[in-house]
Amino acid sequence: VTSNTKTFQCAVVVTELSYQKALAYFQKLKSAGFGGTQSTDEDAILLTGVDNSGNGIFFSYNKEEKTGTVIYTPVGTSETSIA
């Protein structure tokens, strides 16, 4: 976990993450209102965009490496324009 105290941005890398759990997390992010660029296939998952309040999200999953990455950037920071 890394974070930036100026922008309150937070990044998390999850290892040994199954495809099923990554897909469930992807669906939860979408249900929470995060939209934008998204892609799912048998090897990878990607979601990058913002929610209705303007908070930014980046989620990626690599099936071969079993690794997921989440970067959250709250609204009002210069880093939020990831959509």
Side-chain angles (χ1 to χ4, degrees), residues 5-7 13 17 19 27-28 40 44 47-48 70-71 75:
T5 57
K6 283 188 172 188
T7 64
V13 176
L17 182 64
Y19 181 83
Q27 295 296 341
K28 284 184 180 185
T40 58
L47 173 64
T48 180
V70 181
I71 301 172
V75 68

Side-chain angles (χ1 to χ4, degrees), residues 22-35:
L23 189 57
Y25 189 72
F26 169 80
Q27 295 296 341
K28 284 184 180 185
L29 288 171
K30 286 178 38 179
S31 294
F34 288 100

Side-chain angles (χ1 to χ4, degrees), residues 10-82:
C10 181
V12 177
V13 176
V14 181
T15 58
E16 297 302 316
L17 182 64
S18 72
Y19 181 83
Q20 291 78 15
K21 287 185 179 181
L23 189 57
Y25 189 72
F26 169 80
Q27 295 296 341
K28 284 184 180 185
L29 288 171
K30 286 178 38 179
S31 294
F34 288 100
T37 302
Q38 51 187 298
S39 173
T40 58
D41 63 32
E42 64 274 0
D43 296 320
I45 300 170
L46 174 69
L47 173 64
T48 180
V50 295
D51 65 8
N52 293 334
S53 298
N55 299 301
I57 196 74
F58 170 86
F59 173 69
S60 69
Y61 174 75
N62 180 298
K63 188 175 182 180
E64 183 177 320
E65 295 177 4
K66 294 185 179 179
T67 302
T69 302
V70 181
I71 301 172
Y72 173 78
T73 305
V75 68
T77 65
S78 61
E79 309 292 324
T80 306
S81 59
I82 59 175

